[in-house]
Amino acid sequence: SNAGSMVGPALGAVLALHSLALVFLGAAITILAAAAIVAVFLHETRLPNTGAEDDEEESLFALAAAFRDSRLAGLLLPIALLEIAASWIQSITPLYADAAGTLTAAGIGVLFTYEGALGVLLQLPVTEATERMSGFRIVLWSGITQALGFACLLASPALAALVAAVTLLALSGMLARPLVQAIVTELAPRTAQAAYQAAFSV
């Protein structure tokens, strides 16, 4: 996933050097290629010819059942808030950098390529370093790094501040992402893990 987050912005940066319209065309081609790969190679994703409607209804029912779990319901709100905070940095950084004249569209692509590269290089070391920490401490440190990222953006739109903010955002994600997966695995009944994953994704 981190490798894709690195390669995507890098290709976008190259395309943006020629035309911003090419970025959207490149994204469309990539999505179509991914869909074709899934259709051809991942047979498990294909619905059976019979009973497809029943399977869909059962899946929706299982998702609703997951929301009735009080422990899961108590976790969904803070997870949503963490995701909102993380998405703000990713959403506003390009606008912020463009308005301040700090980075071009291609430069923003390079900045997020750097973020993806951090994930590729550091995700496993960060996860191993925090595997003995409590979930509370991991979430606390993830929140602190997000807050520091916002502080960097608040202080200045300079390139150094943008790099620091993206670095802190990447670190925050590296801390929280594996924890979320571990929480789902621990809380979900064996027969409803897919429904719990869906609840967290929603």
Side-chain angles (χ1 to χ4, degrees):
S1 177
N2 285 324
S5 297
M6 177 182 67
V7 174
L11 292 175
V14 172
L15 294 174
L17 290 173
H18 301 284
S19 169
L20 282 177
L22 289 178
V23 177
F24 295 99
L25 179 62
I29 292 172
T30 304
I31 291 170
L32 290 173
I37 290 170
V38 168
V40 172
F41 294 106
L42 299 182
H43 303 291
E44 297 85 354
T45 63
R46 300 177 186 171
L47 289 173
N49 293 329
T50 59
E53 292 182 0
D54 293 338
D55 287 345
E56 184 177 355
E57 290 175 2
E58 185 177 340
S59 297
L60 292 173
F61 177 77
L63 180 58
F67 275 102
R68 288 195 294 271
D69 186 309
S70 59
R71 291 184 302 170
L72 178 60
L75 289 167
L76 290 178
L77 180 59
I79 291 296
L81 293 175
L82 285 171
E83 290 294 336
I84 289 170
S87 67
W88 278 349
I89 293 182
Q90 293 176 331
S91 300
I92 67 174
T93 299
L95 299 174
Y96 192 48
D98 181 67
T102 307
L103 290 172
T104 63
I108 292 167
V110 172
L111 181 65
F112 285 107
T113 300
Y114 161 75
E115 180 188 11
L118 286 177
V120 170
L121 295 173
L122 300 178
Q123 179 67 74
L124 285 175
V126 167
T127 302
E128 290 174 355
T130 59
E131 65 183 353
R132 297 188 183 278
M133 291 173 60
S134 68
F136 176 80
R137 287 182 62 196
I138 293 174
V139 171
L140 180 63
W141 280 109
S142 178
I144 289 171
T145 54
Q146 279 193 3
L148 290 173
F150 279 115
C152 290
L153 291 177
L154 184 63
S156 169
L159 180 60
L162 293 175
V163 171
V166 167
T167 301
L168 290 165
L169 171 65
L171 179 58
S172 177
M174 284 182 259
L175 287 166
R177 243 179 267 121
L179 179 64
V180 171
Q181 298 303 318
I183 288 170
V184 174
T185 302
E186 182 176 340
L187 291 182
R190 294 182 64 86
T191 57
Q193 287 193 349
Y196 273 56
Q197 292 283 0
F200 271 79
S201 296
V202 170

